[in-house]
C-alpha cells in the first residue's frame, strides 16, 4: 500500500513539473513572438532618432540633413543627422545600437550581413534595409597637371584610399586589383574626403579615391582652386570588375562636372539607407514614407535618383517590414 502511495506521489510530482514547464514555455514564447522590427515598442515610444551620415564634405551629410528634416516634420520624431566615418562604421554602429538609421554602400551592407571582408567574425545581423538611394560613383581624383592619366600611373605614388575597413578602401583595393596593382604598389594614405583633397592641393599626396555621389563637395572645393582630373575606368576593365564583383555598375561623370571638358567613364555602387531591426514597423513605415513620398523636397543633385519604384534595386540584404509595407503600397 505504501509503495502505491509513493508511486502516485511521484507521478503527481512529474505532472506538476510538466504543467509548470508548459506555462513557462508559453510565457517565453509570448515575449519573443514579435515579428522582425517588433521589439514591443511603437512609434510613440521614440522621441529622438539618430541618423548616421559621413564626413561633412561628402554627399551623405548634406542629404542626411534633408532626410532628418523630412522625418522630423512628417513623423513628429526629432531626427538629427550626425557626422560619422560612413559605411562600415555605420553598419557597426547600427549593430551596436549606437544609431537608428544610417547611410551605407550596398556592397558594405552585404559584407556586414554576411560577416565577410572587413566584417569577418563581426556579422551585423541586427541591421536591415530601408531603401536604395542613388549611385555612389568611384572617383579617382588627381590634378590635371599631376602626370597621372591611368591607374597604372599610380604605382609608387601617394594615394588616399580611405580609412581601413571603409567602403572607399574596399573599392580602391578592388579597382587596383583589376588593374594589376595592390596596396603594396602605392603609398597608401588613410584620409577622409576633405583631408584627401586638401592633401592633393598642398602636394602632400598625388591622388585620392573618393566614393560618393557626384558632385562631391570636397572635389568641388578642390576644383575651385585647381584644375581637377578624374581618371577613367575603361569599358574592358569595368566589365572585368563587374564579373568578379557583381554589385558594381558602369557609371559616367558628365562633362561640366568639376569643370571636366568631356564625360568620364567609371563605376559605381549604390548608396542606401539601413536601420536597426529593433525599430518598430509603424515608425519605419512613416520614416520611409517621409523620404520617398517627398522626393520633390530634396534639393541635392542626387535627389533625382531617389524614387520609390527603384528603392529595392541592388539591395542584397533583407528589407525592414515597415519599409516593405510602404513600397508594396506605392509600387502596386
Amino acid at each position: 500500500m505504501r509503495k502505491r502511495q509513493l508511486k502516485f506521489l511521484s507521478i503527481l510530482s512529474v505532472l506538476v513539473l510538466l504543467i509548470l514547464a508548459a506555462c513557462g514555455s508559453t510565457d517565453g514564447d509570448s515575449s519573443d513572438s514579435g515579428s522582425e522590427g517588433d521589439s514591443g515598442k511603437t512609434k510613440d515610444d521614440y522621441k529622438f532618432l539618430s541618423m548616421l551620415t559621413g564626413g561633412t564634405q561628402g554627399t551623405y551629410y548634406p542629404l542626411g540633413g534633408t532626410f532628418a528634416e523630412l522625418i522630423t516634420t512628417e513623423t513628429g520624431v526629432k531626427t538629427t543627422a550626425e557626422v560619422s566615418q560612413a559605411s562600415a562604421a555605420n553598419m557597426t554602429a547600427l549593430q551596436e545600437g549606437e544609431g537608428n538609421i544610417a547611410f551605407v554602400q550596398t556592397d558594405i551592407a552585404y559584407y556586414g550581413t554576411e560577416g565577410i571582408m572587413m566584417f569577418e567574425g563581426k556579422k551585423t545581423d541586427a541591421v536591415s534595409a530601408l531603401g536604395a538611394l542613388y549611385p555612389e560613383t568611384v572617383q579617382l581624383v588627381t590634378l590635371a597637371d599631376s602626370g597621372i592619366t591611368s591607374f597604372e600611373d599610380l604605382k609608387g605614388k601617394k594615394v588616399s584610399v580611405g580609412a581601413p575597413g571603409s567602403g572607399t578602401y574596399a573599392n580602391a583595393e578592388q579597382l587596383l586589383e583589376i588593374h594589376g596593382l595592390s596596396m603594396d604598389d602605392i603609398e597608401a594614405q588613410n584620409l577622409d574626403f576633405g583631408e584627401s583633397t586638401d592633401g592633393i592641393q598642398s602636394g602632400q599626396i598625388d591622388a585620392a579615391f573618393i566614393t560618393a555621389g557626384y558632385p562631391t563637395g570636397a572635389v568641388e572645393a578642390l576644383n575651385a582652386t585647381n584644375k581637377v582630373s578624374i581618371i577613367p575606368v575603361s569599358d574592358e576593365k569595368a566589365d572585368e570588375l563587374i564579373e568578379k564583383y557583381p554589385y558594381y555598375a558602369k557609371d559616367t561623370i558628365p562633362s561640366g562636372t568639376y569643370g571636366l571638358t568631356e564625360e568620364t567613364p567609371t563605376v559605381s555602387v549604390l548608396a542606401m539607407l539601413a536601420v536597426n531591426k529593433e525599430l518598430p514597423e509603424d515608425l519605419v513605415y512613416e520614416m520611409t514614407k517621409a523620404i520617398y513620398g517627398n522626393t520633390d523636397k530634396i534639393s541635392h543633385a542626387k535627389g533625382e535618383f531617389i524614387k520609390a519604384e527603384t528603392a529595392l534595386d541592388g539591395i542584397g540584404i533583407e528589407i525592414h517590414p515597415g519599409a516593405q509595407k510602404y513600397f508594396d503600397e506605392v509600387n502596386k
Side-chain angles (χ1 to χ4, degrees):
M1 180 71 177
R2 181 173 177 77
K3 286 183 179 178
R4 276 193 289 184
Q5 287 177 329
L6 289 172
K7 185 175 182 181
F8 173 76
L9 289 172
S10 296
I11 293 171
L12 184 62
S13 298
V14 170
L15 287 172
V16 170
L17 288 172
L18 288 172
I19 292 169
L20 289 172
C23 290
S25 175
T26 300
D27 291 342
D29 287 344
S30 66
S31 65
D32 295 332
S33 61
S35 61
E36 179 182 281
D38 182 4
S39 59
K41 293 183 178 181
T42 67
K43 170 197 161 189
D44 294 336
D45 293 306
Y46 287 81
K47 305 301 178 190
F48 175 81
L49 290 171
S50 171
M51 174 176 283
L52 307 175
T53 62
T56 57
Q57 297 194 60
T59 305
Y60 290 171
Y61 186 72
L63 264 182
T66 299
F67 291 170
E69 287 181 17
L70 290 173
I71 293 172
T72 300
T73 300
E74 299 294 325
T75 70
V77 180
K78 175 66 176 175
T79 305
T80 302
E82 299 182 10
V83 175
S84 77
Q85 294 300 310
S87 292
N90 288 354
M91 287 292 287
T92 300
L94 288 179
Q95 175 72 18
E96 296 175 354
E98 295 174 356
N100 307 111
I101 179 171
F103 284 77
V104 297
Q105 292 177 197
T106 49
D107 53 335
I108 302 304
Y110 177 78
Y111 297 155
T113 55
E114 293 295 313
I116 59 176
M117 297 286 284
M118 69 285 290
F119 296 100
E120 189 77 43
K122 301 175 289 184
K123 185 180 288 191
T124 54
D125 53 6
V127 180
S128 56
L130 186 145
L133 297 171
Y134 58 86
E136 286 264 67
T137 306
V138 185
Q139 305 166 73
L140 177 53
V141 182
T142 188
L143 296 183
D145 61 0
S146 67
I148 298 172
T149 60
S150 69
F151 277 78
E152 289 75 13
D153 291 335
L154 295 177
K155 193 165 186 177
K157 298 292 195 299
K158 293 181 180 178
V159 184
S160 174
V161 295
S166 68
T168 298
Y169 188 95
N171 301 147
E173 194 168 43
Q174 290 159 358
L175 272 165
L176 287 171
E177 173 196 347
I178 293 302
H179 287 87
L181 300 170
S182 72
M183 290 293 177
D184 292 334
D185 292 312
I186 62 173
E187 291 188 42
Q189 310 292 308
N190 304 122
L191 308 174
D192 66 23
F193 295 167
E195 292 169 337
S196 293
T197 51
D198 286 347
I200 291 173
Q201 183 176 19
S202 65
Q204 297 294 311
I205 64 173
D206 301 296
F209 284 90
I210 292 180
T211 302
Y214 63 79
T216 307
V219 185
E220 286 190 304
L222 176 62
N223 185 60
T225 57
N226 301 82
K227 189 175 181 182
V228 164
S229 175
I230 307 293
I231 305 305
V233 178
S234 70
D235 267 0
E236 178 187 356
K237 289 300 182 183
D239 288 338
E240 193 177 335
L241 181 73
I242 293 165
E243 184 177 355
K244 186 163 187 178
Y245 303 107
Y247 38 76
Y248 283 97
K250 291 182 180 180
D251 199 358
T252 301
I253 301 175
S255 171
T257 309
Y258 313 133
L260 299 175
T261 56
E262 57 185 30
E263 64 178 26
T264 303
T266 182
V267 293
S268 64
V269 289
L270 278 175
M272 62 175 281
L273 290 173
V275 294
N276 186 288
K277 285 183 180 179
E278 289 300 308
L279 287 182
E281 183 175 323
D282 62 342
L283 177 55
V284 175
Y285 171 87
E286 291 195 25
M287 289 162 56
T288 308
K289 184 177 181 180
I291 294 170
Y292 291 89
N294 291 284
T295 55
D296 59 318
K297 297 176 183 176
I298 301 172
S299 59
H300 192 281
K302 288 302 171 188
E304 65 177 291
F305 295 96
I306 302 171
K307 302 173 183 177
E309 55 264 39
T310 58
L312 300 182
D313 294 351
I315 290 180
I317 69 173
E318 58 188 320
I319 311 297
H320 191 285
Q324 187 70 61
K325 180 181 177 182
Y326 174 76
F327 294 128
D328 287 345
E329 285 181 5
V330 299
N331 292 330
K332 289 179 181 178

